[in-house]
Tab-separated table of all heavy atoms in Angstrom:
chain	number	residue	atom	x	y	z
B	8	LYS	N	110.931	-16.546	6.652
B	8	LYS	CA	111.590	-17.806	6.654
B	8	LYS	C	110.908	-18.900	5.830
B	8	LYS	O	111.511	-19.760	5.217
B	8	LYS	CB	111.722	-18.329	8.051
B	8	LYS	CG	112.639	-17.476	8.925
B	8	LYS	CD	112.741	-18.056	10.320
B	8	LYS	CE	113.707	-17.212	11.191
B	8	LYS	NZ	113.885	-17.781	12.559
B	19	ALA	N	119.609	-14.833	-17.103
B	19	ALA	CA	120.061	-13.849	-18.017
B	19	ALA	C	121.225	-13.020	-17.518
B	19	ALA	O	121.187	-12.531	-16.375
B	19	ALA	CB	118.922	-12.945	-18.446
B	35	LYS	N	96.349	-8.982	-26.364
B	35	LYS	CA	95.498	-10.172	-26.011
B	35	LYS	C	94.629	-9.825	-24.816
B	35	LYS	O	95.172	-9.574	-23.745
B	35	LYS	CB	96.441	-11.343	-25.718
B	35	LYS	CG	97.336	-11.794	-26.862
B	35	LYS	CD	98.179	-12.930	-26.446
B	35	LYS	CE	99.262	-12.533	-25.483
B	35	LYS	NZ	100.193	-13.606	-25.119
B	54	ASN	N	95.357	1.726	-40.089
B	54	ASN	CA	96.670	2.165	-39.698
B	54	ASN	C	96.594	2.890	-38.303
B	54	ASN	O	95.717	3.692	-38.148
B	54	ASN	CB	97.309	3.089	-40.784
B	54	ASN	CG	97.636	2.362	-42.031
B	54	ASN	OD1	98.207	1.311	-42.034
B	54	ASN	ND2	97.168	2.979	-43.150
B	79	GLU	N	99.962	-1.513	-39.003
B	79	GLU	CA	98.698	-1.905	-39.566
B	79	GLU	C	98.060	-3.053	-38.829
B	79	GLU	O	98.756	-3.997	-38.494
B	79	GLU	CB	98.893	-2.218	-41.049
B	79	GLU	CG	97.598	-2.665	-41.725
B	79	GLU	CD	97.808	-3.192	-43.179
B	79	GLU	OE1	98.960	-3.104	-43.674
B	79	GLU	OE2	96.892	-3.691	-43.798
B	92	LEU	N	90.650	-13.087	-29.281
B	92	LEU	CA	91.806	-13.706	-28.673
B	92	LEU	C	93.062	-12.841	-28.872
B	92	LEU	O	93.909	-12.775	-27.948
B	92	LEU	CB	92.016	-15.084	-29.323
B	92	LEU	CG	90.857	-16.111	-29.152
B	92	LEU	CD1	91.250	-17.433	-29.857
B	92	LEU	CD2	90.531	-16.347	-27.674
B	105	GLU	N	101.103	8.520	-30.905
B	105	GLU	CA	100.014	9.501	-30.604
B	105	GLU	C	100.564	10.543	-29.633
B	105	GLU	O	101.378	10.260	-28.799
B	105	GLU	CB	98.823	8.765	-29.943
B	105	GLU	CG	98.165	7.755	-30.836
B	105	GLU	CD	97.201	8.411	-31.844
B	105	GLU	OE1	97.143	9.677	-31.877
B	105	GLU	OE2	96.533	7.646	-32.551
B	134	PRO	N	96.028	0.146	-17.272
B	134	PRO	CA	96.106	-1.329	-16.914
B	134	PRO	C	97.256	-1.740	-16.157
B	134	PRO	O	97.334	-2.858	-15.598
B	134	PRO	CB	96.025	-1.988	-18.271
B	134	PRO	CG	95.326	-1.027	-19.178
B	134	PRO	CD	95.780	0.307	-18.661
B	140	PRO	N	91.639	-6.566	-3.365
B	140	PRO	CA	91.723	-7.941	-3.727
B	140	PRO	C	91.356	-8.255	-5.190
B	140	PRO	O	90.956	-7.331	-5.946
B	140	PRO	CB	90.633	-8.632	-2.838
B	140	PRO	CG	89.652	-7.465	-2.606
B	140	PRO	CD	90.499	-6.189	-2.565
B	143	ILE	N	92.753	-7.661	-10.426
B	143	ILE	CA	92.169	-7.262	-11.658
B	143	ILE	C	92.605	-5.773	-11.938
B	143	ILE	O	93.077	-5.122	-11.072
B	143	ILE	CB	90.591	-7.353	-11.618
B	143	ILE	CG1	90.090	-6.463	-10.394
B	143	ILE	CG2	90.146	-8.761	-11.489
B	143	ILE	CD1	88.571	-6.379	-10.368
B	152	LYS	N	93.439	2.454	-0.233
B	152	LYS	CA	93.958	2.843	1.025
B	152	LYS	C	95.477	2.936	1.026
B	152	LYS	O	96.073	3.532	1.904
B	152	LYS	CB	93.477	1.870	2.111
B	152	LYS	CG	94.113	0.508	2.126
B	152	LYS	CD	93.757	-0.291	3.391
B	152	LYS	CE	94.486	-1.599	3.479
B	152	LYS	NZ	94.217	-2.282	4.762
B	164	LEU	N	114.482	-17.401	-12.203
B	164	LEU	CA	115.033	-16.771	-13.379
B	164	LEU	C	114.441	-15.384	-13.674
B	164	LEU	O	114.441	-14.949	-14.817
B	164	LEU	CB	114.901	-17.691	-14.578
B	164	LEU	CG	115.613	-18.984	-14.594
B	164	LEU	CD1	115.301	-19.828	-15.876
B	164	LEU	CD2	117.071	-18.923	-14.376
B	167	ASP	N	116.128	-8.979	-13.617
B	167	ASP	CA	116.618	-8.062	-12.552
B	167	ASP	C	115.857	-6.726	-12.786
B	167	ASP	O	116.092	-6.008	-13.774
B	167	ASP	CB	118.122	-7.883	-12.702
B	167	ASP	CG	118.714	-6.900	-11.681
B	167	ASP	OD1	118.034	-5.997	-11.193
B	167	ASP	OD2	119.894	-7.227	-11.251
B	241	GLY	N	86.340	-5.285	2.044
B	241	GLY	CA	85.975	-3.914	1.833
B	241	GLY	C	87.145	-2.986	1.512
B	241	GLY	O	86.978	-1.848	1.041
B	260	SER	N	105.778	13.022	-18.641
B	260	SER	CA	106.984	13.860	-18.975
B	260	SER	C	107.292	13.975	-20.386
B	260	SER	O	107.842	14.971	-20.834
B	260	SER	CB	108.178	13.273	-18.160
B	260	SER	OG	108.479	12.009	-18.598
B	268	ARG	N	110.557	-1.964	-23.575
B	268	ARG	CA	110.969	-2.583	-22.338
B	268	ARG	C	112.188	-3.533	-22.563
B	268	ARG	O	112.337	-4.001	-23.768
B	268	ARG	CB	109.858	-3.418	-21.701
B	268	ARG	CG	109.246	-4.502	-22.518
B	268	ARG	CD	108.333	-5.399	-21.681
B	268	ARG	NE	107.204	-4.629	-21.257
B	268	ARG	CZ	106.365	-5.009	-20.251
B	268	ARG	NH1	106.612	-6.173	-19.683
B	268	ARG	NH2	105.385	-4.345	-19.821
B	270	VAL	N	113.651	-7.140	-21.905
B	270	VAL	CA	113.099	-8.461	-21.582
B	270	VAL	C	114.257	-9.439	-21.446
B	270	VAL	O	115.170	-9.494	-22.290
B	270	VAL	CB	112.131	-8.904	-22.757
B	270	VAL	CG1	111.731	-10.352	-22.522
B	270	VAL	CG2	110.934	-7.976	-22.816
B	273	CYS	N	115.715	-16.247	-21.096
B	273	CYS	CA	116.468	-17.014	-20.154
B	273	CYS	C	115.989	-18.476	-20.163
B	273	CYS	O	115.028	-18.815	-20.846
B	273	CYS	CB	116.363	-16.393	-18.764
B	273	CYS	SG	114.617	-16.195	-18.209
B	276	GLU	N	117.570	-23.918	-21.754
B	276	GLU	CA	117.691	-24.253	-23.169
B	276	GLU	C	118.107	-23.081	-24.055
B	276	GLU	O	118.036	-23.175	-25.239
B	276	GLU	CB	116.396	-24.905	-23.620
B	276	GLU	CG	116.007	-26.154	-22.791
B	276	GLU	CD	117.157	-27.157	-22.637
B	276	GLU	OE1	117.615	-27.678	-23.687
B	276	GLU	OE2	117.617	-27.318	-21.438
B	296	GLU	N	114.915	-17.465	-32.126
B	296	GLU	CA	115.373	-18.190	-33.281
B	296	GLU	C	116.897	-18.301	-33.330
B	296	GLU	O	117.649	-17.378	-33.242
B	296	GLU	CB	114.927	-17.428	-34.564
B	296	GLU	CG	115.179	-18.155	-35.917
B	296	GLU	CD	114.615	-17.472	-37.098
B	296	GLU	OE1	114.014	-16.317	-36.874
B	296	GLU	OE2	114.677	-17.972	-38.161
B	300	LYS	N	119.046	-24.577	-27.510
B	300	LYS	CA	119.952	-25.707	-27.644
B	300	LYS	C	119.329	-26.935	-28.328
B	300	LYS	O	119.949	-27.834	-28.773
B	300	LYS	CB	120.379	-26.120	-26.187
B	300	LYS	CG	121.193	-25.017	-25.523
B	300	LYS	CD	121.573	-25.411	-24.128
B	300	LYS	CE	122.320	-24.298	-23.381
B	300	LYS	NZ	122.656	-24.663	-21.998
B	311	VAL	N	108.556	-19.635	-14.839
B	311	VAL	CA	108.088	-21.008	-14.883
B	311	VAL	C	106.919	-21.297	-13.870
B	311	VAL	O	106.205	-22.240	-14.074
B	311	VAL	CB	109.203	-22.051	-14.621
B	311	VAL	CG1	110.266	-21.946	-15.693
B	311	VAL	CG2	109.858	-21.761	-13.313
B	318	GLU	N	103.568	-20.523	-28.049
B	318	GLU	CA	104.367	-21.169	-29.155
B	318	GLU	C	105.549	-20.316	-29.537
B	318	GLU	O	105.717	-19.163	-29.084
B	318	GLU	CB	103.379	-21.391	-30.377
B	318	GLU	CG	102.189	-22.214	-30.038
B	318	GLU	CD	102.549	-23.639	-29.485
B	318	GLU	OE1	103.517	-24.122	-30.024
B	318	GLU	OE2	101.878	-24.109	-28.655
B	335	GLU	N	110.730	-29.487	-22.832
B	335	GLU	CA	109.394	-29.942	-22.788
B	335	GLU	C	109.371	-31.254	-21.924
B	335	GLU	O	110.263	-32.045	-22.054
B	335	GLU	CB	108.826	-30.219	-24.167
B	335	GLU	CG	107.306	-30.530	-24.234
B	335	GLU	CD	106.473	-29.470	-23.605
B	335	GLU	OE1	106.232	-28.412	-24.274
B	335	GLU	OE2	106.082	-29.578	-22.415
B	338	HIS	N	107.220	-36.755	-21.221
B	338	HIS	CA	107.750	-38.053	-21.186
B	338	HIS	C	107.450	-38.669	-19.790
B	338	HIS	O	107.079	-37.983	-18.880
B	338	HIS	CB	109.264	-38.056	-21.418
B	338	HIS	CG	110.021	-37.304	-20.375
B	338	HIS	ND1	110.139	-35.890	-20.417
B	338	HIS	CD2	110.627	-37.689	-19.203
B	338	HIS	CE1	110.825	-35.507	-19.392
B	338	HIS	NE2	111.106	-36.525	-18.596
B	395	PRO	N	104.477	-17.793	3.276
B	395	PRO	CA	104.792	-16.978	4.421
B	395	PRO	C	103.726	-15.868	4.744
B	395	PRO	O	103.950	-14.650	4.771
B	395	PRO	CB	106.118	-16.275	3.913
B	395	PRO	CG	105.941	-16.186	2.459
B	395	PRO	CD	105.204	-17.411	2.055
B	430	LEU	N	103.744	-21.494	-5.436
B	430	LEU	CA	104.631	-22.489	-4.879
B	430	LEU	C	103.891	-23.773	-4.379
B	430	LEU	O	104.467	-24.857	-4.385
B	430	LEU	CB	105.474	-21.904	-3.751
B	430	LEU	CG	106.886	-21.402	-4.111
B	430	LEU	CD1	107.561	-20.888	-2.872
B	430	LEU	CD2	107.719	-22.438	-4.733
Side-chain angles (χ1 to χ4, degrees):
K8 295 183 179 180
K35 300 180 289 183
N54 291 314
E79 179 186 354
L92 301 179
E105 295 281 2
I143 58 178
K152 73 169 185 175
L164 299 178
D167 185 326
S260 62
R268 59 171 63 196
V270 174
C273 54
E276 303 312 295
E296 187 175 3
K300 298 176 182 178
V311 295
E318 300 301 324
E335 188 58 78
H338 63 276
L430 262 183

